[in-house]
Amino acid sequence: MGKITLNNIRLFGYHGCFLEEKKIGSYYTINVEIELNLDKPSISDKLSETIDYVELYYIIKKEMKINSKLIEHLSRRIIHKIKNKYKKFLIKHIKVKICKENPPIQGNKIDRICVTLYE
């Protein structure tokens, strides 16, 4: 077994329930962890036998462009896109953590709020 992890992807998006979040937008930090069997590619050295982390990045970037009220919803979409694209690799576990930087919480200073989904 093994894991492929993308850490601290920073992208801009327009997610949230408040009108100002949809107009102004915010930066988000995304972390994705995928657990699967990496025995075959670790021996063969073939990209075709593993999940391409560049393609993972583009899946995340594409989903970030689709506005959601909740980052929970965004996280679920990312998980499902990854699972559908890489069915042949029999993914055992996916974890997606999305953090909204500087969320608008009535003038209070909060660095970020995060949501983590597992499947």
Side-chain angles (χ1 to χ4, degrees):
M1 290 309 271
K3 290 182 182 179
I4 295 174
T5 307
L6 279 71
N7 285 323
N8 298 321
I9 300 167
R10 191 166 189 255
L11 297 169
F12 197 83
Y14 297 90
H15 309 288
C17 294
F18 301 114
L19 185 59
E20 60 269 17
E21 293 174 298
K22 294 173 186 176
K23 285 185 177 182
I24 299 168
S26 182
Y27 277 99
Y28 295 80
T29 304
I30 303 103
N31 295 290
V32 175
E33 181 180 286
I34 302 171
E35 186 176 347
L36 69 160
N37 188 330
L38 294 175
D39 291 343
K40 201 171 181 181
S42 70
I43 294 166
S44 71
D45 198 27
K46 293 180 182 176
L47 181 59
S48 62
E49 294 179 348
T50 190
I51 293 175
D52 183 347
Y53 59 80
V54 174
E55 288 182 359
L56 284 176
Y57 170 80
Y58 285 115
I59 288 170
I60 295 161
K61 187 175 178 181
K62 183 178 178 182
E63 289 304 311
M64 280 295 295
K65 291 180 180 181
I66 301 168
N67 299 351
S68 290
K69 291 178 186 172
L70 303 175
I71 56 178
E72 291 89 332
H73 183 257
L74 174 60
S75 299
R76 177 71 58 204
R77 285 200 333 260
I78 291 170
I79 288 171
H80 284 263
K81 290 287 182 176
I82 292 169
K83 286 184 99 171
N84 287 335
K85 171 121 177 122
Y86 296 106
K87 288 179 187 176
K88 72 177 185 176
F89 293 113
L90 303 175
I91 294 170
K92 183 178 179 186
H93 174 78
I94 298 179
K95 179 169 86 171
V96 173
K97 179 180 178 182
I98 300 179
C99 299
K100 178 183 269 190
E101 298 177 19
N102 303 309
I105 301 179
Q106 298 180 344
N108 293 311
K109 177 67 176 137
I110 298 174
D111 288 340
R112 69 181 50 93
I113 58 97
C114 301
V115 169
T116 304
L117 259 60
Y118 306 87
E119 191 168 305

